[in-house]
Structure formats: C-alpha cells, structure tokens
Amino acid sequence: MTEASEATRRPPGTPCWVSLMVHSLGSTEEFYTDLFGWEYEPGPGQLGPYVRALLDGREVAGIGQMPPDRHLPVAWTTYLATDDADATAESVRCCGGTVAVGPLDAGIAGRMAICSDPLGAIFGIWQAETHMGTLLHGRPGTPVWNELVTQDTSTVGKFYEHVFGHEAKAHPESSEDFDYLTLRLQGEPVAAVHGVGRSLPHDRGPHWMTYFEVADPDEAVARVELLGGTVVQPPHEGPGGRHATVADPEGAVFTVIRTTH
C-alpha cells in the first residue's frame, strides 16, 4: 500500500479497524477461518505475534497474541480514526478518559493508542500512514457496525462528541426504556451508543461491540457452537436486521448480523 492520502484517510471519529488480543493465536485463527473464511498475513512486528485477517486479499481485522504473563480480558477492540493520535490522546485525557497504551508507532503502518472513555469502555485510536484499516465492507465476514454498550448515554455521548466531533442524535424510538444514540459525522451514522442501565453484564462492564456481517445468523450461531464458541444471545430480529451475540472459544464476544439493505 502507498502512503495514506487525504482522499483515502478516514474522517476522524470513523470506526476504521477492529482487533483482538488472545492467548492462543493459532487456534483463534482457525476458529475465524472456519466461521468467516478469513486468511492471514503477518502484521507489524512491533505488536508482537500479530496477523491481519483477509477476505479476497483485502484486510478486514487484526488478531494478536498476548505475552504469556499478561492476563487481560479477551475482547474485540474498535479503533476510531484520527489525523493526529497524540492530539486525540490528549483530548481523551482532558475529557475524562484514560490513555492506557501509547500513543506509539506501529512500524510504518501508523500511530495508535489504546484508551478508555469515562465509564471504562476500551477503544483504540488509529492514525493511518500506510495501513488504512478495514478495506472490505458489506460482505459476509466483514465488520459492518460498532456499538458502545454502556450504563447510560448522556455523559459518555458528550465525551465522544468532544473528542471526535461526533454529533450524537437520539434514536427516533428512544424512550425511558430504550436509551440509544447514533453517532454521526457529516450527517451520516458511523456508530452508536446503547445505554442499558443495570442490564450491563457485570463481568464485562461498558464495552464496544463489533458486528460482523453473515449470510444467515442462525447458521452462523450453529457454526460458532460447533467450533467451541458459545451463544450469549440467540438470533432475533432487530432494527438493523436479524442478529445474535456469540463468543469465540477464548471468550471474545461479538455480534453476527444479516443487515437489511
């Protein structure tokens, strides 16, 4: 790939990449190959054992292996684009968030940091140089949506507005029982914040959820179970399409969805 140009850079605040850090890279690769048809190529050496997942030769996600002495939660991480990782990291701190890792260079691919918002949800920021993030969209096996699941939308919605310039708009069906914001850039929805109050899983806390497109959520759920994963929420119809929440064999939770086009 060539150096990122202004035309190919994602607008700041756009979800641009998802990655997963696991204990067993090889078995995790096999799980997602069987589920999504992914192939792999080596990623930046600075990140340790790390691969980029490919579909038809196009990058869709990253998977890395934790050092043996690290016992962090295994979870998918959503990265938001920025033109200046250092300035965005400082803005995260100023707005009540935390910068846990970085900013640091990932070889020539770009500059990144791992952060958390004021309520503790972890996310990444990515300043692209040669690695542009997810390059394939809209087909089975690709990430199609990112949603923050948190206690409530009021405080944290303002955080993302201030740091990334999102316009947080209440969902038309929002109510006391349905606390939901859409994060927009230039009028277009790029992500969402779902306030679930006391229904937030105690073992996970606030978190970003990655949605992957599949042709048939029911078949995908059956495949997940066959491959050693678990079902967190069975397939059901929702505003965006039929979807289900599952976990891979190491416990990384994600959602499979057949979107309504």
Side-chain angles (χ1 to χ4, degrees):
M1 288 180 290
T2 57
E3 185 173 345
S5 67
E6 292 302 317
T8 55
R9 282 187 186 275
R10 305 291 175 82
T14 306
C16 62
W17 187 243
V18 293
S19 73
L20 177 63
M21 297 298 291
V22 298
H23 300 293
S24 176
L25 182 56
S27 59
T28 300
E29 287 181 73
E30 291 176 4
F31 172 85
Y32 287 100
T33 292
D34 286 343
L35 182 63
F36 293 141
W38 288 353
E39 298 177 333
Y40 305 95
E41 67 177 14
Q46 291 86 348
L47 301 178
Y50 188 89
V51 294
R52 290 177 181 152
L54 311 175
L55 276 174
D56 295 334
R58 308 289 295 278
E59 298 171 347
V60 295
I63 307 175
Q65 183 164 299
M66 296 183 203
D69 58 342
R70 300 293 292 276
H71 300 285
L72 302 174
V74 177
W76 281 98
T77 299
T78 297
Y79 284 74
L80 304 176
T82 177
D83 288 339
D84 188 332
D86 295 82
T88 300
E90 185 58 31
S91 182
V92 166
R93 294 187 187 96
C94 290
C95 292
T98 301
V99 180
V101 177
L104 53 83
D105 290 328
I108 62 170
R111 191 161 172 80
M112 53 83 71
I114 302 294
C115 310
S116 60
D117 66 30
L119 295 184
I122 294 171
F123 63 94
I125 55 176
W126 181 254
Q127 177 186 333
E129 295 300 336
T130 59
H131 171 55
M132 300 311 302
T134 301
L135 298 176
L136 185 65
H137 302 274
R139 61 159 285 184
T142 63
V144 291
W145 188 243
N146 294 270
E147 181 177 290
L148 172 60
V149 182
T150 189
Q151 286 98 331
D152 68 87
T153 62
S154 56
T155 301
V156 79
K158 292 181 175 66
F159 169 83
Y160 288 95
E161 281 187 311
H162 288 310
V163 174
F164 294 105
H166 293 132
E167 180 187 12
K169 300 279 286 186
H171 190 277
E173 298 178 14
S174 289
S175 65
E176 288 186 7
D177 299 322
F178 183 58
D179 183 15
Y180 198 89
L181 292 177
T182 302
L183 300 179
R184 296 173 176 266
L185 290 172
Q186 300 176 342
E188 295 296 322
V190 296
V193 182
H194 188 187
V196 297
R198 295 182 178 178
S199 299
L200 191 71
H202 294 298
D203 59 340
R204 300 195 63 207
H207 59 276
W208 277 90
M209 175 73 74
T210 301
Y211 286 66
F212 291 97
E213 180 81 28
V214 293
D216 186 327
D218 297 79
E219 286 186 6
V221 165
R223 189 72 179 160
V224 165
E225 290 186 293
L226 184 65
L227 295 170
T230 56
V231 179
V232 177
Q233 188 175 39
H236 61 284
E237 298 294 336
R242 187 167 179 78
H243 61 283
T245 302
V246 296
D248 70 20
E250 286 208 20
V253 176
F254 59 99
T255 295
V256 291
I257 185 168
R258 181 183 61 224
T259 56
T260 53
H261 297 290

